[in-house]
Amino acid sequence: MAVTAIIADDHTFMRKAIADMLEDMRDVHVVAVAKDGLEAIAYTRRHKPDLLILDAAMPMANGVEVFADIRRWCPDTRIVTCTGFTSHTLLAEWIDLEVDGLLLKTSEADEFNRCVETVLAGYRFVAEDVRDILKAASAVPSLTHREREVLSLIALGNTSQAIADRLHISIKTVEKHRGSLMAKLGVGSVAELLAYALKEGFLDSHRQL
């Protein structure tokens, strides 16, 4: 019996590339292609496919929101997430969600094929590049929940007063957290903090490529 699959990605060339790779695989048939998160949810709930290839960031509903809905309504659908974002924070989030497969959009075609085959066999698959990123991240200094909040708000352009008001803390405490962040991350300016925040996805925990 043929394996049914749905592709969800907001980039036309990615949808075409993934469709070509799936159609080249034996007994895999693409039954629908979605260009945003709402279509991905609607098509998956309608067709209940064996496999969903899911872009981690799409309009209308992001990848995490789509994932949660599909897990609820189509628990038998195996989900492979593809992302162009290499933030260990965001990749770790997908690992924590226990997605069936996790690939970078830079993954080679043979790794994509191995991922699909592994996932359809009932096992989880994490791309080698993803594992390397997560392994390297183990050396990154850990931040407290409050430090992450302050970093995110700094990255969004908030002043110390605005951060203090938002978090209901004093300006002195905000400055203390700012100093702690700079010391832990080895940076000497707000610009460098901003660069770190951009790299690690702190501007929006679900904005990915």
Side-chain angles (χ1 to χ4, degrees), residues 14 69 109 187:
M14 283 300 302
D69 190 280
V187 300

Side-chain angles (χ1 to χ4, degrees), residues 82-153:
C82 296
T83 179
F85 208 96
T86 57
S87 160
H88 71 82
T89 302
L90 300 178
L91 294 174
E93 179 179 18
W94 283 102
I95 296 294
D96 290 342
L97 289 171
E98 297 186 348
V99 68
D100 300 304
L102 183 58
L103 293 166
L104 296 182
K105 289 188 175 181
T106 54
S107 296
E108 298 292 338
D110 63 337
E111 188 167 39
F112 175 88
N113 291 341
R114 283 189 287 111
C115 176
V116 170
E117 291 170 355
T118 300
V119 165
L120 289 175
Y123 301 98
R124 296 181 68 193
F125 184 98
V126 178
E128 183 175 352
D129 286 348
V130 173
R131 295 197 301 270
D132 289 343
I133 291 169
L134 295 174
K135 182 177 179 180
S138 63
V140 175
S142 61
L143 303 181
T144 66
H145 176 69
R146 181 63 84 188
E147 286 171 341
R148 288 174 179 272
E149 287 183 316
V150 171
L151 176 56
S152 179
L153 291 170

Side-chain angles (χ1 to χ4, degrees), residues 2 6 9 17 30 33 37 58 76 78 84 96 106 112 118 121-122 132 136 140 157 163 168 173 182 188 197 201-202:
I6 287 177
D9 197 295
V30 177
V33 176
M58 290 180 293
D76 294 330
R78 305 289 284 174
D96 290 342
T106 54
F112 175 88
T118 300
D132 289 343
V140 175
I163 295 172
H168 306 291
T173 300
M182 289 183 173
F202 285 102

Side-chain angles (χ1 to χ4, degrees), residues 9 13 43 45 48 85 104 107 133 152 157 167 174-175 180 193 207:
D9 197 295
F13 75 93
Y43 292 159
R45 290 177 65 173
K48 291 183 170 50
F85 208 96
L104 296 182
S107 296
I133 291 169
S152 179
L167 300 179
V174 173
E175 294 301 330
S180 176
L193 270 180
R207 284 188 67 182

